[in-house]
Amino acid sequence: MEKFKYKYLIKCGTNLFNRIGTCEVHSQIISEVLVRSSFCGHDSHGLQRFTEYKKLFEDKKISANGKITKKIVDNRMFVNGGNNWGIVVANEVINELIDLSNKHSICSALIKNCNHIGRLGEYISKPAMQKKICLAFVNSYDSNRKKVVPWLGVEGKLTPTPIGFGCPSGYKWPLMIDITTSAMPEGKIRDYMFNNKRLPEKCIVDKYGKFTNDPNKLYDDSNGAILPLGGIFGHKGYALTILIEILAGGLTSSGYVNEKNNKQGNGVFFIIIDIEKFINYEEFIYRTKSFIKYIKKTKTRENDKVLLPGEPEHNLFMQNKKNGIKISKRVLKNLEEVNFFI
């Protein structure tokens, strides 16, 4: 199977978004984020999203030239994304929030009217590479994405809501936690479907509440739904979902998942903490590296190796950037149908 190079795929993606009316700069930003996600091993937020984003634009659910407005009050930034590309909005906001954090010990950004922002790790890693800690909470107010059951339920009422944490590690890679509070991200289940793979056990249920490992059951008329993160302790993942929904949906005024909304997208809440305003940075890094070394010395089974969150993505990205990546037949076919390749 053919392997595709990093810069080539970015060029193809940039060309695709240019053709549908997005400016060159924004087209490249979106393409870089999606391609980088696949090269980090997260296809659920990678190449498969190109065709989805194109359709959203054609269905007039995205305003490629929508005005992004910001209001800064002390250490808080209030953002209206203007229904622009979510990746463009989030990228612009996190960069400006990093600048704002140079003046404040803690600052935050609340984003509403924003389309899908892609992989959360893309944004939490940026402050982490600039001596800062970042927290992120994201909800989805698209009624079509209500595919997660509340604890003890069998009906999709909630959406897959990610939570993120980025922090300097003292190494070339940042400590980075980017997880959804459902048993699996919806996009990852779609990735299993595209590759004709069976799901791990007890991730989704059918409309009768019976476990199934067939990813198609989430998308056909079976009315399948994703379970909360945590297995038999799923009440914990469910509780985190409620927390994120309140911070990213309520506090940002984007809206909760139950509210009627003709649009689709994300409510986003970013927090940046300037480490140097709390503790000497070199001391923080020294102690953090010591902690990381302590974790890495854990005894393991044969051939296993303890890694820290964020390390696998960095290692895989460097490997894939050098060698290129394969694209599944289903995603490849979808990309060819929209004339993605140059």
Side-chain angles (χ1 to χ4, degrees):
M1 185 180 289
E2 182 182 0
K3 286 190 174 183
F4 296 84
K5 293 292 187 177
Y6 183 68
K7 289 185 178 180
Y8 170 70
L9 290 173
I10 290 176
K11 185 176 180 180
C12 291
T14 302
N15 179 64
L16 174 70
F17 290 121
N18 280 344
R19 293 202 318 262
I20 63 175
T22 303
C23 72
E24 178 80 20
V25 173
H26 289 176
S27 294
Q28 183 158 347
I29 289 171
I30 302 165
S31 184
E32 285 178 353
V33 169
L34 296 182
V35 171
R36 190 153 43 237
S37 182
S38 279
F39 274 67
C40 286
H42 297 290
D43 287 327
S44 58
H45 287 69
L47 294 175
Q48 66 172 260
R49 297 282 178 172
F50 277 104
T51 51
E52 177 188 339
Y53 282 14
K54 181 176 182 291
K55 187 176 188 309
L56 287 173
F57 177 82
E58 291 171 344
D59 291 344
K60 299 184 178 179
K61 293 184 177 181
I62 292 176
S63 302
N65 299 307
K67 185 178 180 180
I68 305 169
T69 58
K70 308 182 196 74
K71 179 182 178 182
I72 297 176
V73 181
D74 297 324
N75 62 338
R76 293 158 291 152
M77 183 186 299
F78 299 90
V79 184
N80 187 321
N83 202 36
N84 205 314
W85 296 102
I87 287 175
V88 171
V89 176
N91 187 72
E92 187 174 307
V93 169
I94 202 68
N95 288 335
E96 293 188 20
L97 195 63
I98 290 171
D99 292 337
L100 185 63
S101 70
N102 292 326
K103 303 175 184 177
H104 302 278
S105 55
I106 300 176
C107 61
S108 60
L110 300 95
I111 310 175
K112 65 179 182 180
N113 200 16
C114 173
N115 277 287
H116 187 259
I117 69 169
R119 185 175 66 99
L120 200 51
E122 182 71 25
Y123 312 103
I124 57 178
S125 61
K126 289 186 176 183
M129 300 305 288
Q130 298 191 44
K131 301 182 178 182
K132 304 176 192 296
I133 289 171
C134 184
L135 296 165
F137 310 88
V138 181
N139 89 325
S140 296
Y141 46 81
D142 179 3
S143 60
N144 293 323
R145 285 176 55 81
K146 289 194 285 188
K147 294 181 180 294
V148 180
V149 300
W151 177 240
L152 301 182
V154 296
E155 176 187 8
K157 287 276 191 174
L158 300 165
T159 63
T161 50
I163 183 171
F165 170 84
C167 175
S169 67
Y171 295 91
K172 291 181 180 180
W173 43 269
L175 288 166
M176 191 171 66
I177 299 167
D178 175 7
I179 59 173
T180 183
T181 54
S182 53
M184 285 184 77
E186 182 273 327
K188 186 71 72 176
I189 295 173
R190 191 188 318 174
D191 194 42
Y192 270 73
M193 181 179 70
F194 284 171
N195 287 282
N196 294 315
K197 293 167 61 178
R198 308 295 286 183
L199 294 170
E201 295 296 324
K202 299 182 179 180
C203 286
I204 69 172
V205 293
D206 62 20
K207 62 183 177 183
Y208 303 107
K210 294 181 179 179
F211 295 119
T212 175
N213 58 5
D214 180 1
N216 293 284
K217 297 295 183 182
L218 193 65
Y219 303 99
D220 60 20
D221 57 6
S222 303
N223 293 321
I226 313 171
L227 292 168
L229 179 67
I232 61 172
F233 301 107
H235 59 284
K236 298 181 179 182
Y238 166 58
L240 283 173
T241 301
I242 299 301
L243 179 151
I244 297 167
E245 189 71 28
I246 289 172
L247 289 177
L251 197 62
T252 66
S253 76
S254 286
Y256 292 117
V257 69
N258 63 296
E259 297 176 13
K260 291 183 179 180
N261 195 326
N262 294 325
K263 297 179 181 179
Q264 56 79 45
N266 295 145
V268 184
F269 183 35
F270 287 136
I271 299 173
I272 293 182
I273 301 169
D274 188 343
I275 294 170
E276 291 185 310
K277 291 185 174 65
F278 291 86
I279 185 175
N280 177 272
Y281 183 73
E282 298 305 323
E283 178 187 348
F284 175 83
I285 288 299
Y286 174 80
R287 297 176 75 172
T288 302
K289 289 185 75 173
S290 177
F291 170 64
I292 290 172
K293 290 175 183 177
Y294 163 76
I295 295 295
K296 281 181 167 289
K297 287 182 179 178
T298 304
K299 291 181 181 179
T300 65
R301 302 181 190 88
E302 188 178 357
N303 298 323
D304 283 340
K305 183 179 180 181
V306 173
L307 301 175
L308 274 292
E311 191 177 4
E313 287 86 351
H314 171 78
N315 293 344
L316 188 58
F317 175 78
M318 298 306 294
Q319 175 186 321
N320 286 337
K321 192 174 181 183
K322 178 181 178 181
N323 301 323
I325 61 170
K326 298 176 182 179
I327 302 176
S328 71
K329 291 181 180 179
R330 176 73 174 269
V331 173
L332 189 64
K333 180 176 181 293
N334 290 344
L335 292 173
E336 288 173 341
E337 287 176 354
V338 297
N339 297 314
F340 175 82
F341 298 102
I342 298 174

